[in-house]
Amino acid sequence: MKRFRRHGQESQRDRLKQELFQFNKTVEHGFPHQPSALGYSPSLQLLAIGTRSGAIKLYGAPGVEFMGLHDENAAVTQVHFLPHQVELVTLLDDNSLHMWTLRAHKGLSELLEIGRFTLTGPPGAPPSVTRVTAVLPHSSGELLLLGTEGGHVFIVEVPGFRELEERNISLDQVASSVPDDYIGRRNLEHVEALQENPVNPNQVVIGYGRGLMVVWDLEKHCIRQLESVWWTEDGGYILSSHSDGSYCRWMVGVDDVNEEEEKSDIPYGHFPCKAIMKIIQLPTEDGPPFLLFSGGMPRASYGDRHCITVIHGKTHVALDFTSRIIDFFVITDGLQQKGDPSALVVLVEEELVVIDLQTEGWPVIQTPYLVPLHSSAITCSHHVSAIPFKLWERISSVGELQNTHYSKKPWPITGGQSLAPDPPQRDLLLTGHEDGTVRFWDASGVCLSPMYKLSTAGVFDTDADPNDNMNQGTEGEWPPFRKVGCFDPYSDDPRLGIQKIHLCKYSGYLTVAGTAGQILVMELNDEAAEQTVEAKVVDLLQGQEGFRWKGHTRLDVREEPVLFPPGFQPFALVQCQPPAVVTALNLHSEWKLVAFGTSHGFGLFDYQQKNNVFVKCTLNPSDQLAMEGPLSRVKSIKKSLRQSFRRIRRSRVSLRKHHVNNAAKLQEANARLEAELAEMELAPVQRKIEARSSDDSFTGLVRTLYFADTFLSDSSHNSPSLWAGTNGGCVFAYMLRLPPVEHRADEPITAHPVQTSSSKEIQLMHRAPVVGIVVLDGHGAPLPEPLEVAHDLARSPEMQGSHHLLVISEEQFKVFTLPKVSAKMKLKLTAIDGSRVRRVGVAWFGSNRSEDYGESGLVVLTNQGDLHVVSLPSVKLQVQYPCIRKEDVSGIASCVFTKHGQGFYLISPSEFERFSLSTRCLVEPRCLVGAPLHSGPQRRPQTDGASSAHSAARRVMEHALLNDESEYCRTETC
């Protein structure tokens, strides 16, 4: 009977787990890492970006996103949409072509790969014959023209990728039609460009690498016109750009040419210039055309600039980007791109920039997605769930004041329809950056949109010039440069870097801490204010002798008043001495206290009275590394490695002396050496659980700080307290005495260390680093956040039953009773699977079947990249999912959890991967893209019976896709 009951309980628990937990990687936020190709469909109004890692990403209206991944580990070099179709073609640097389509399935669109193709040349032909260098999707939507390195042009039917050998344009065909004097001075090298005549789709211009251009008639299989690759809208002119920084305009189909009609120009001559990589000319309805080209800068003076020049009438601007240009295109008004140019879209290596071409001054249009998160390197992140509406509106308002330089035009890429439900709550993601800024992002939905940017550099004296406006060029400067884009990886002072952030969503108080031991406390102000920020220097060494700080100096605070714009404005500043990196930070806005910790100790600051309450030094006398700055620490690591290799080298020499002829023993020694090196790298994973020496480096480093109103002196009187956990496995507890509310501004706060049964702190047996501390109330629930109960957003904690202290170390979870601080239960992690806790957070998991049911749990990320959910208060493992590669150390270190079972981690310097462990809280793209309405019949070259055969093939393919029968179909995660 007992066995049956236990089995029933287990089955019920398994069903409950299915209601609460489900792991999904849902969406990628930010800018794609290492983009390599750009494409755009005017009919679908979708943007496509390919990357060096083989990813293909599609974007439309905000919330419309798709992602595919090629099986091949090869870079995407070109992306082309088929005109008036939902298919696109990608070319990889392994010379393979891939066909993708957007297929509707259960009311949503999916990005699928439906075919792949590689050109094959005749037996014995060199690879250059079929190495694809240019791709032209024909306007019929049924042909691909492939120019190759060998000078040939292959014609392929799509979507089936059938080569039409009888239609191919061989090098011999072109050479036989070109006069000998052209062949003599211009070799027919690789095909550089292919362009279709906008008026006559039977005519295609082929541009060769050495400058020769021919117009080929696809119907008559012959050259129409020599002398010559942008074809103007009326089909009368061709523009060609060249490696010397010049461009030429050629008339097509006219024998008697006026010299003024054809011209050659070097816009930034007369000195040698770099190549113009791409050129576009677009007409306007009532004025001169737009001429746009990339490159062409004077080689000696500005050869390192990344520019796109825009010329319209007398207006001439060289848009100067901060990273290499990948590609660009222009969006025009009206159907078939026939209207006036409206926006210039530029993909550079580190960001996407969109320029409004219809507003005076050509301002930038703010991007709702693809924002470069790494405009300055991300150093930390902090997530806040369920922001109150009033605070959200205030942050949005001050953020809008920062965006007055952006265009008022709406986002021009509007393809598809987002069917995702409205976010149930407002969430913020805050990122700290190397340049001392904190950026606020709307993380409520699929798009991670910028809201507000806070800079802390103005508080300090740095080398930055506050009057330096990078966006303005000097009047009369030539070329007429104008800086665009927000990617700026350079920091004026690395000490400004933000390391920790804590925002109270109820009070609007924000505290940030930095690399040089600075802690700023800020309050949200809707108006600009001029004020002086006084610094409070806190000595964490408390006068201990024998220690000398070898790192950087602390930041100098501005003595004169500083004008702070509307937004978060600092009113208190703490500077730690020594000025080491702040490793732990916590804010209690109800008590108006900030706790901070470094590798030397921790302190408590009263930001209402602007006084330090107490300081505790945790530095171990033998820990000399904690007294060294980052540069000194690198030297120490190098010295340690150097000594290890010297020891290894000596052992090898000794082995050679004593066992010259013993190859087996030498091989055994080498194997032992490799094992030793592997043990050095994988020590956190594979080593047995042994007590760490108190002489280990950084044992005094403070890893976590926690405020709690709980029982410390006895079981009948609760009091405010501060808990601190260190890298050496110590937990310190301090009882705080707060004066009454009416005397809070006058009477000081006092703090007393808590005396346990044996000492003033808890020392874990194995000295494993403490990464988290949680106090559970009488019902076993985590204590609510400060002011959460006062705002009626959480129930009051149960103060009748006994409280428990949960200490999370890298190796285990241990529960202590309060106030006696005696061990009650524990859950071992390292002893079971060898993994170690790297990140931990408390989350609420709601059931997907019952709105009223949910459970609190610990979300844990290990050094193996696995996610665990641990139940509270029973401390039992519930589920485990693989999430991050264990080799991705930076990704694991960057992970941040939300309060409702989601999380973010960096998959590259510019992208967050979003995941969910909850069945109820799931943010993912849900989009639909319909087939474009064909705006009119296109004249397509006819070939024998190929037309009917191709139409039949297309009908078969479409039928297979609609019925999920195609053997080519391969679903990609979105």
Side-chain angles (χ1 to χ4, degrees):
M1 186 69 179
K2 289 182 180 178
R3 188 178 304 168
F4 175 78
R5 186 180 297 116
R6 182 178 300 172
H7 175 73
Q9 290 173 349
E10 290 177 354
S11 299
Q12 183 178 0
R13 186 62 202 168
D14 289 340
R15 288 195 297 270
L16 195 56
K17 288 179 183 179
Q18 294 176 3
E19 292 180 19
L20 298 174
F21 311 118
Q22 180 182 353
F23 177 69
N24 291 283
K25 290 185 178 180
T26 55
V27 66
E28 294 177 3
H29 296 301
F31 183 77
H33 185 50
Q34 296 182 328
S36 54
L38 175 68
Y40 179 68
S41 170
S43 57
L44 294 175
Q45 292 189 313
L46 291 179
L47 168 80
I49 295 177
T51 71
R52 292 188 207 171
S53 61
I56 177 75
K57 299 187 177 186
L58 273 60
Y59 301 91
V64 177
E65 299 183 12
F66 302 93
M67 177 185 168
L69 188 64
H70 295 86
D71 288 338
E72 297 78 4
N73 186 20
V76 180
T77 57
Q78 295 187 45
V79 180
H80 299 275
F81 284 90
L82 299 188
H84 309 289
Q85 309 291 338
V86 291
E87 288 90 19
L88 66 153
V89 175
T90 55
L91 173 66
L92 307 188
D93 64 358
D94 65 358
N95 205 41
S96 62
L97 288 154
H98 300 255
M99 179 70 70
W100 299 80
T101 190
L102 287 168
R103 184 199 63 182
H105 178 64
K106 294 182 178 179
L108 299 175
S109 295
E110 300 174 335
L111 181 62
L112 304 173
E113 183 181 353
I114 59 172
R116 62 190 67 190
F117 173 72
T118 303
L119 276 177
T120 56
S128 62
V129 172
T130 55
R131 181 75 185 176
V132 179
T133 55
V135 179
L136 172 64
H138 193 265
S139 60
S140 63
E142 299 175 350
L143 295 178
L144 274 185
L145 279 70
L146 308 175
T148 66
E149 197 174 279
H152 303 276
V153 177
F154 293 83
I155 299 181
V156 176
E157 275 187 345
V158 287
F161 281 132
R162 186 173 73 90
E163 182 183 344
L164 303 177
E165 296 184 11
E166 70 281 1
R167 304 284 308 283
N168 291 341
I169 307 169
S170 69
L171 193 61
D172 294 337
Q173 286 177 286
V174 176
S176 64
S177 305
V178 175
D180 293 339
D181 55 343
Y182 284 95
I183 294 297
R185 56 192 179 90
R186 294 174 183 160
N187 189 18
L188 291 172
E189 288 189 344
H190 66 280
V191 176
E192 189 72 36
L194 292 168
Q195 191 82 35
E196 181 182 331
N197 188 335
V199 177
N200 183 356
N202 281 314
Q203 293 182 2
V204 175
V205 62
I206 307 171
Y208 294 92
R210 281 293 185 89
L212 179 65
M213 295 189 179
V214 298
V215 178
W216 186 265
D217 192 305
L218 295 173
E219 194 171 15
K220 298 181 179 178
H221 306 280
C222 64
I223 290 177
R224 287 281 300 168
Q225 170 70 32
L226 276 176
E227 298 288 352
S228 214
V229 32
W230 179 261
W231 214 317
T232 57
E233 291 294 319
D234 59 3
Y237 294 93
I238 288 176
L239 293 180
S240 63
S241 61
H242 303 277
S243 59
D244 62 352
S246 67
Y247 72 89
C248 302
R249 183 175 70 174
W250 310 88
M251 290 193 70
V252 180
V254 179
D255 295 330
D256 185 15
V257 178
N258 188 338
E259 289 187 4
E260 294 183 0
E261 298 283 344
E262 290 192 346
K263 70 171 185 175
S264 175
D265 188 17
I266 304 179
Y268 298 115
H270 302 283
F271 296 104
C273 295
K274 298 194 74 175
I276 294 179
M277 303 305 297
K278 181 175 180 177
I279 189 166
I280 292 176
Q281 180 174 303
L282 294 170
T284 58
E285 192 171 330
D286 301 320
F290 273 88
L291 179 67
L292 308 96
F293 59 85
S294 60
M297 289 291 120
R299 187 177 296 275
S301 304
Y302 304 109
D304 59 342
R305 299 286 187 103
H306 311 288
C307 295
I308 290 181
T309 298
V310 184
I311 302 173
H312 180 235
K314 295 182 178 180
T315 307
H316 184 141
V317 173
L319 301 172
D320 189 7
F321 300 87
T322 55
S323 56
R324 184 174 63 89
I325 296 168
I326 304 297
D327 202 353
F328 69 93
F329 62 85
V330 176
I331 298 175
T332 61
D333 292 332
L335 298 174
Q336 290 190 325
Q337 294 281 85
K338 296 295 185 182
D340 285 356
S342 62
L344 166 64
V345 181
V346 185
L347 176 66
V348 296
E349 208 162 35
E350 305 293 351
E351 60 185 318
L352 183 81
V353 181
V354 180
I355 309 292
D356 178 5
L357 296 178
Q358 293 185 337
T359 302
E360 187 178 357
W362 297 338
V364 173
I365 300 175
Q366 188 174 23
T367 55
Y369 48 74
L370 289 173
V371 184
L373 307 176
H374 65 316
S375 52
S376 174
I378 295 176
T379 49
C380 66
S381 53
H382 174 66
H383 188 274
V384 188
S385 300
I387 302 293
F389 179 74
K390 185 176 180 181
L391 178 62
W392 185 271
E393 287 293 301
R394 293 180 67 193
I395 294 175
S396 298
S397 297
V398 296
E400 288 172 2
L401 296 176
Q402 298 178 334
N403 298 332
T404 55
H405 61 287
Y406 285 115
S407 170
K408 303 300 181 185
K409 287 289 183 67
W411 182 244
I413 301 170
T414 58
Q417 180 184 2
S418 176
L419 302 179
D422 293 334
Q425 60 189 26
R426 295 169 292 274
D427 291 350
L428 273 179
L429 180 67
L430 283 69
T431 53
H433 297 264
E434 193 178 47
D435 62 354
T437 59
V438 178
R439 288 169 167 82
F440 290 63
W441 308 89
D442 178 358
S444 311
V446 173
C447 293
L448 192 68
S449 304
M451 288 185 66
Y452 165 67
K453 182 174 117 175
L454 164 69
S455 177
T456 63
V459 179
F460 306 101
D461 273 320
T462 63
D463 295 333
D465 182 4
N467 298 317
D468 183 19
N469 191 341
M470 294 291 289
N471 289 329
Q472 299 300 324
T474 306
E475 189 172 347
E477 181 185 22
W478 187 261
F481 291 117
R482 178 187 143 202
K483 278 280 186 185
V484 288
C486 60
F487 177 72
D488 182 12
Y490 306 107
S491 174
D492 297 309
D493 193 330
R495 296 175 298 172
L496 292 169
I498 305 297
Q499 298 296 329
K500 296 291 177 182
I501 306 170
H502 196 112
L503 170 67
C504 175
K505 61 186 178 184
Y506 303 111
S507 64
Y509 284 111
L510 169 72
T511 180
V512 297
T515 303
Q518 71 272 24
I519 300 101
L520 283 162
V521 187
M522 306 183 179
E523 189 174 15
L524 186 58
N525 191 344
D526 300 324
E527 304 292 336
E530 188 175 32
Q531 59 194 38
T532 303
V533 181
E534 295 182 3
K536 182 74 173 180
V537 179
V538 175
D539 182 13
L540 290 174
L541 296 180
Q542 295 181 298
Q544 292 196 31
E545 297 180 357
F547 295 100
R548 184 170 63 88
W549 173 249
K550 302 175 184 177
H552 48 245
T553 60
R554 68 171 182 258
L555 287 160
D556 296 324
V557 183
R558 291 184 186 271
E559 297 179 356
E560 69 277 5
V562 179
L563 179 62
F564 294 103
F568 284 94
Q569 299 170 353
F571 64 89
L573 169 64
V574 178
Q575 288 190 295
C576 298
Q577 188 63 27
V581 173
V582 177
T583 56
L585 184 71
N586 206 339
L587 167 72
H588 200 295
S589 51
E590 189 173 358
W591 301 340
K592 293 182 169 49
L593 296 174
V594 170
F596 54 90
T598 72
S599 55
H600 306 119
F602 61 94
L604 183 65
F605 181 74
D606 178 357
Y607 63 79
Q608 182 174 359
Q609 297 184 16
K610 299 183 181 178
N611 284 325
N612 200 54
V613 178
F614 78 92
V615 169
K616 169 67 177 176
C617 180
T618 58
L619 187 66
N620 190 313
S622 62
D623 189 0
Q624 289 298 321
L625 279 181
M627 299 307 296
E628 300 178 356
L631 295 178
S632 302
R633 197 174 307 154
V634 171
K635 293 177 183 177
S636 300
I637 294 171
K638 288 183 178 178
K639 181 180 178 182
S640 175
L641 289 173
R642 197 179 299 117
Q643 290 174 347
S644 299
F645 281 109
R646 283 175 181 168
R647 186 169 62 252
I648 291 164
R649 200 177 296 116
R650 283 197 300 269
S651 66
R652 283 183 166 178
V653 172
S654 177
L655 281 168
R656 289 194 188 99
K657 286 181 179 179
H658 293 87
H659 309 280
V660 176
N661 298 321
N662 196 336
K665 289 190 176 182
L666 182 59
Q667 185 176 1
E668 181 183 346
N670 285 331
R672 194 161 55 248
L673 164 63
E674 293 176 2
E676 182 179 345
L677 291 173
E679 182 72 16
M680 290 168 61
E681 292 179 0
L682 303 176
V685 180
Q686 296 180 347
R687 77 169 181 84
K688 297 178 181 179
I689 302 181
E690 298 173 354
R692 303 187 185 193
S693 169
S694 60
D695 295 334
D696 285 354
S697 299
F698 297 106
T699 55
L701 185 145
V702 180
R703 294 285 293 269
T704 184
L705 293 161
Y706 181 77
F707 287 106
D709 187 357
T710 187
F711 301 95
L712 288 177
S713 58
D714 56 60
S715 57
S716 57
H717 297 90
N718 58 295
S719 61
S721 62
L722 172 66
W723 302 77
T726 72
N727 217 38
C730 267
V731 177
F732 299 90
Y734 279 78
M735 187 184 302
L736 308 178
R737 191 192 72 82
L738 301 178
V741 176
E742 60 270 16
H743 300 293
R744 177 64 181 85
D746 307 320
E747 295 183 13
I749 295 175
T750 58
H752 306 283
V754 176
Q755 181 80 32
T756 65
S757 57
S758 58
S759 65
K760 291 184 180 180
E761 69 269 353
I762 302 170
Q763 177 64 65
L764 299 182
M765 184 182 299
H766 296 138
R767 300 184 184 274
V770 178
V771 296
I773 297 172
V774 179
V775 171
L776 306 175
D777 68 8
H779 288 313
L783 296 183
E785 296 180 14
L787 295 175
E788 192 173 12
V789 175
H791 285 75
D792 296 326
L793 295 171
R795 69 177 188 182
S796 298
E798 175 57 49
M799 307 303 285
Q800 298 300 320
S802 60
H803 284 197
H804 291 86
L805 171 69
L806 172 59
V807 177
I808 304 110
S809 75
E810 285 189 354
E811 296 178 354
Q812 63 181 7
F813 310 85
K814 198 164 186 177
V815 179
F816 299 85
T817 60
L818 291 176
K820 293 183 179 181
V821 195
S822 57
K824 181 180 180 182
M825 68 178 83
K826 62 183 176 183
L827 171 65
K828 294 181 179 180
L829 187 67
T830 308
I832 296 173
D833 60 9
S835 60
R836 294 184 180 277
V837 177
R838 286 289 180 260
R839 286 286 181 269
V840 64
V842 177
W844 172 261
F845 294 93
S847 169
N848 63 350
R849 295 185 180 179
S850 172
E851 288 289 333
D852 300 328
Y853 184 76
E855 293 182 3
S856 289
L858 282 180
V859 185
V860 178
L861 177 67
T862 72
N863 64 335
Q864 298 292 298
D866 293 336
L867 288 167
H868 299 263
V869 178
V870 178
S871 64
L872 293 176
S874 58
V875 193
K876 294 181 179 178
L877 284 176
Q878 298 299 299
V879 289
Q880 176 182 352
Y881 304 103
C883 181
I884 310 174
R885 293 181 301 106
K886 65 180 180 181
E887 297 84 8
D888 187 3
V889 178
S890 60
I892 293 173
S894 67
C895 183
V896 58
F897 297 119
T898 77
K899 297 294 184 183
H900 294 89
Q902 298 186 69
F904 302 80
Y905 68 93
L906 288 172
I907 54 175
S908 74
S910 59
E911 292 172 289
F912 274 112
E913 175 85 69
R914 186 174 191 147
F915 63 86
S916 174
L917 288 161
S918 171
T919 56
R920 184 185 293 182
C921 293
L922 197 66
V923 176
E924 61 181 349
R926 297 175 62 83
C927 358
L928 181 64
V929 176
L933 296 174
H934 207 294
S935 56
Q938 296 284 335
R939 286 197 295 141
R940 184 174 59 82
Q942 304 295 320
T943 78
D944 308 324
S947 174
S948 57
H950 176 270
S951 300
R954 173 175 284 277
R955 286 195 299 272
V956 171
M957 179 68 72
E958 290 175 349
H959 176 77
L961 285 174
L962 290 173
N963 293 277
D964 296 339
E965 295 172 357
S966 173
E967 64 181 3
Y968 296 107
C969 289
R970 183 167 57 84
T971 305
E972 299 294 336
T973 46
C974 179

